[in-house]
Amino acid sequence: MIDHDWFSVRQLAEKTYAISEWGHWEKVHSFLLIGQDKAALIDTGLGIATIKEVTDQLTDLPICVLTSHVHTDHIGSHAAFDDIYVHAADEAWLKNGIQGRTLEQIRFDLTRDLTSDLPAYFDLEGFVPFMGEASGLLRDGQLLDLGQRLVEIIHTPGHSPGHVAFLDHQTQFLFTGDVLYTQTPVYAFYPSTSPEDLVTSWEKLSRLPKIAKVFGSHNQLGIEPSILDEAGRAAAFLRQHELVHWGSGLHEFGQLSVKF
């Protein structure tokens, strides 16, 4: 049992955990993969509470943070860790700040439409998104060895230039960040997004073999791998009907939707 007043933890497989913030309207998930020598933490959540308070209860191994992309809801506890990795195309955002969002907008979105009480210690007026140097850069096709456990990096731009997904070779779980999830639209309508890149990323993911389960970073926790076929069909439809551009609106395909 994990003791925390903000995060919930669910074990997905042996030494594999989802750390969720269900009380926030975005329903954010981070993921901890534990190897023999070290652990990988995929994203660090909103920053309303420090996720290290949870990971310290799950492992005493060194933890490297794998950043799916540099948006506020994925880098909230980065400051609590020393070993942080990001794709080169998002590195400048990590170092200098996220493009296109004011601090006032970020603070407003952080605490609106909550279904759980904020922790008493959370200071909204003092909240500032993490900015700092990366320990290293992630690249497409790279294999990270956690010790008897390999994690593959898959560059999946569109939602951000440096967005990456992660394939855990031990479980065949695919962690898709914000490029693929269900229940609310995937977003690619901001100036910093690319509809063309997002559709290309869906096509890329749809070709991956032998995926056991898909885990997006929001909403439903655990999606059947058939969502990847659905993403491939959606990409083909969007291209055929010349809808892959900003302003074409909301497009729905069964359990998958996207807004350009």
Side-chain angles (χ1 to χ4, degrees):
M1 296 293 293
I2 299 301
D3 180 24
H4 205 275
D5 58 355
W6 179 253
F7 294 104
S8 299
V9 176
R10 175 177 161 190
Q11 185 168 2
L12 306 176
E14 184 180 4
K15 297 184 177 181
T16 309
Y17 300 90
I19 305 173
S20 302
E21 299 176 77
W22 290 110
H24 190 268
W25 62 275
E26 290 189 281
K27 299 178 177 61
V28 178
H29 310 299
S30 304
F31 301 94
L32 182 69
L33 314 179
I34 303 173
Q36 293 293 320
D37 302 326
K38 59 183 177 181
L41 178 61
I42 300 173
D43 295 335
T44 62
L46 289 152
I48 288 173
T50 303
I51 202 170
K52 191 173 187 296
E53 295 172 354
V54 174
T55 59
D56 281 351
Q57 297 181 61
L58 294 170
T59 184
D60 57 5
L61 290 174
I63 293 176
C64 61
V65 171
L66 307 181
T67 310
S68 68
H69 62 297
V70 181
H71 284 166
T72 308
D73 51 324
H74 298 264
I75 62 169
S77 293
H78 271 38
F81 300 90
D82 296 324
D83 204 14
I84 297 170
Y85 294 85
V86 67
H87 190 276
D90 272 12
E91 182 187 15
W93 291 9
L94 191 71
K95 182 178 179 179
N96 303 315
I98 302 162
Q99 294 180 359
R101 300 285 288 167
T102 67
L103 183 57
E104 290 73 20
Q105 289 173 320
I106 289 170
R107 287 175 175 171
F108 174 77
D109 282 342
L110 193 63
T111 55
R112 68 177 174 90
D113 302 330
L114 299 177
T115 57
S116 296
D117 292 334
L118 288 168
Y121 50 78
F122 177 66
D123 176 20
L124 180 61
E125 292 184 0
F127 178 84
V128 177
F130 173 84
M131 288 190 290
E133 299 279 353
S135 307
L137 299 180
L138 303 172
R139 65 182 186 277
D140 189 48
Q142 179 181 2
L143 289 175
L144 299 177
D145 189 355
L146 306 180
Q148 303 296 312
R149 188 169 195 173
L150 294 176
V151 179
E152 183 177 350
I153 310 304
I154 305 171
H155 186 208
T156 50
H159 184 69
S160 83
H163 190 288
V164 290
F166 305 94
L167 176 58
D168 174 27
H169 284 207
Q170 176 171 296
T171 59
Q172 288 302 114
F173 289 169
L174 178 66
F175 300 92
T176 53
D178 280 9
V179 80
L180 187 65
Y181 52 79
T182 61
Q183 298 181 336
T184 56
V186 174
Y187 293 130
F189 59 84
Y190 298 112
S192 58
T193 65
S194 169
E196 174 63 36
D197 285 349
L198 181 68
V199 169
T200 300
S201 292
W202 280 4
E203 292 167 334
K204 184 177 187 177
L205 293 177
S206 74
R207 295 192 291 268
L208 293 176
K210 299 179 181 178
I211 301 301
K213 205 84 168 181
V214 175
F215 292 91
S217 288
H218 298 280
N219 306 326
Q220 180 180 345
L221 185 56
I223 309 167
E224 292 304 314
S226 59
I227 192 71
L228 301 175
D229 294 329
E230 195 169 321
R233 292 192 296 270
F237 178 91
L238 291 165
R239 290 198 187 281
Q240 180 182 355
H241 294 273
E242 299 183 352
L243 295 170
V244 187
H245 58 84
W246 286 326
S248 67
L250 176 65
H251 310 287
E252 298 179 291
F253 307 93
Q255 60 183 328
L256 181 63
S257 61
V258 64
K259 186 175 181 180
F260 291 146

